Amino acid sequence: MSINLDLESIILPGISSERPLVMAGPCSAESEKQVLDTAHQLSKMGVKIFRAGIWKPRTRPNAFEGVGSVGLPWLKKVKEETGMYTATEVANAKHAYEAVKYGVDILWIGARTSANPFAVQEIADTLKGVEIPILVKNPVNPDLELWIGALERLNDAGLKKLGAIHRGFSTYDKSAYRNAPHWQIPIELRRRIPNLPIIVDPSHISGKRDLILDISQRAMDLNFDGLIIESHCNPDEAWSDASQQVTPDALKCILDRLVLRHSDVDKQHAATLEELRTQIDKYDDEILNIFEQRMKIAEKIGLFKKQNNVTILQSGRWDAILKKRTTMGLSKGLSEDFVNKIFSAIHQESINHQTRVMNEE
Ligand code: PEP
Ligand code: MN
């Protein structure tokens, strides 16, 4: 079911509605000089929205926690000197109040704050009646309802210029990414709230500057609306998130290399796509019919096990299935992860059917 939020466009005057909407700037505002140097370089290459963290939620104490309110006049200067819009993160009512007081144009709620309904509510209450775009980053944990809940709290307070930022999700396991993208979550957010702009944050997803182009391209291929990318005039010396920041020149190369595709297919090619989709639909029908048949057999097995008083789970058999199907899947160009997920789901469904049969009177 889709959710109806009362939304207005977040696009500010003077910003074209063409994709992608680009926000760029340092992870943290460090000094007036660093902020202005970076902003001037970004402005020269056409960036219209400048981001900089003033208050930084850090995982461990004694790390740099942002310059705080002294940095707000620097953002004001960015506006005055370059004409760019400014954006910063707010994590509580005081931040929201101060940022608005100093004329920050766009606020975002960080991942750790989105995970905290009390903090989001406090920010929503403080901003009641203020016409300011607010972007909500996904919570650190892969919980779509919590993400939507934060958006609803703001919308219920009358805030209509809302957008989401997809910055990936924390994981315990080591992976190529700093925060796993789990693209199916922002895709589902789009399905649930179709008119909500979604901006992708390749910097915090990747944690590494080398991956930013690939993730940005992925975001564009999935038809998301914009990109927020960390850019610093001297990235290696950055006080936070040094390894994922890029110079304004490197950002320009990334943006120039992006291939932008249309979201609609022109009439001439629509028929070809339609034909291919018909083929896909046919296979999807077949897959479900086969699952139905497979579960009928599972039920027969369940009955057999009941009559012979045998347990449902036979772990040796399950292990053999998984090994055999993973190898077969690889030979058919299917990833191990995909085959694993599909067969785990099939196995679980099969167990559910057997359990039902076994416990029927
Ligand atoms: C940031 O954008 O600098 C930031 C702290 O991001 P996140 O909330 O995604 O960790
Ligand atoms: Mn950062």
Side-chain angles (χ1 to χ4, degrees), residues 22-291:
V22 175
M23 302 173 63
C27 176
S28 305
E30 297 163 5
S31 68
E32 182 170 333
K33 184 174 176 342
Q34 168 253 7
V35 165
L36 288 169
D37 281 357
T38 310
H40 278 286
Q41 290 181 42
L42 290 169
S43 167
K44 241 182 252 153
M45 49 168 282
V47 174
K48 301 256 169 29
I49 307 173
F50 182 76
R51 65 144 285 158
I54 293 287
W55 300 278
K56 302 300 300 175
R58 306 309 297 277
T59 306
R60 306 279 297 272
N62 305 320
F64 168 60
E65 295 197 321
V67 290
S69 304
V70 295
L72 291 168
W74 308 341
L75 296 187
K76 210 163 176 201
K77 249 189 164 158
V78 167
K79 270 170 77 150
E80 287 160 5
E81 292 188 11
T82 68
M84 290 165 110
Y85 290 106
T86 56
T88 201
E89 171 174 345
V90 293
N92 59 34
K94 178 178 166 285
H95 298 164
Y97 174 81
E98 296 257 300
V100 170
K101 192 171 97 186
Y102 280 87
V104 175
D105 303 288
I106 300 172
L107 306 179
W108 81 81
I109 294 185
R112 294 155 196 80
T113 309
S114 305
N116 177 350
F118 287 127
V120 175
Q121 192 59 53
E122 183 183 303
I123 294 167
D125 293 342
T126 305
L127 293 173
K128 237 179 223 163
V130 183
E131 279 217 14
I132 190 165
I134 308 168
L135 306 173
V136 181
K137 286 199 168 196
N138 60 265
V140 278
N141 50 325
D143 185 339
L144 178 61
E145 300 310 316
L146 201 52
W147 197 0
I148 291 176
L151 289 155
E152 284 174 330
R153 283 176 196 279
L154 296 165
N155 203 228
D156 288 351
L159 298 157
K160 297 184 179 179
K161 294 178 186 293
L162 300 181
I165 300 178
H166 170 47
R167 52 77 82 192
F169 302 90
S170 310
T171 48
Y172 181 66
D173 300 333
K174 275 213 167 346
S175 93
Y177 301 111
R178 177 176 176 194
N179 290 293
H182 295 314
W183 292 103
Q184 69 277 20
I185 296 178
I187 289 171
E188 176 63 9
L189 177 64
R190 163 112 323 153
R191 194 183 71 81
R192 300 272 295 274
I193 317 179
N195 54 344
L196 180 76
I198 302 179
I199 291 168
V200 174
D201 176 347
S203 308
H204 290 90
I205 291 176
S206 68
K208 291 183 218 55
R209 56 182 73 112
D210 297 353
L211 293 178
I212 290 177
L213 174 61
D214 278 2
I215 297 170
S216 303
Q217 185 62 57
R218 184 80 183 255
M220 293 298 98
D221 291 346
L222 291 172
N223 204 18
F224 290 121
D225 305 276
L227 297 167
I228 176 167
I229 298 180
E230 287 188 342
S231 178
H232 188 295
C233 54
N234 191 359
D236 290 329
E237 300 302 319
W239 297 359
S240 59
D241 290 351
S243 54
Q244 70 194 32
Q245 301 206 55
V246 292
T247 60
D249 281 345
L251 177 67
K252 184 166 181 345
C253 289
I254 291 171
L255 296 176
D256 286 347
R257 287 178 66 187
L258 281 181
V259 181
L260 299 177
R261 304 175 219 271
H262 317 284
S263 55
D264 299 315
V265 189
D266 56 48
K267 276 213 182 87
Q268 195 190 344
H269 297 101
T272 316
L273 187 61
E274 213 35 56
E275 158 58 20
L276 292 170
R277 285 183 171 159
T278 310
Q279 289 182 37
I280 290 266
D281 288 348
K282 187 173 135 279
Y283 283 118
D284 285 348
D285 284 347
E286 278 179 31
I287 289 172
L288 281 184
N289 288 336
I290 289 173
F291 281 158

Side-chain angles (χ1 to χ4, degrees), residues 299-353:
E299 286 168 14
K300 282 188 187 159
I301 293 181
L303 205 57
F304 172 86
K305 287 177 180 166
K306 178 180 184 170
Q307 282 155 359
N308 293 282
N309 218 21
V310 181
T311 58
I312 289 178
L313 186 63
Q314 307 276 316
S315 70
R317 160 82 180 142
W318 166 227
D319 190 45
I321 291 184
L322 202 56
K323 282 200 179 107
K324 182 171 168 192
R325 297 305 164 192
T326 307
T327 313
M328 186 173 167
L330 284 173
S331 76
K332 292 178 180 295
L334 304 172
S335 73
E336 188 171 338
D337 181 51
F338 173 70
V339 175
N340 233 301
K341 279 189 185 132
I342 291 282
F343 274 88
S344 298
I346 293 174
H347 185 237
Q348 186 56 55
E349 182 72 8
S350 192
I351 287 177
N352 295 346
H353 280 254

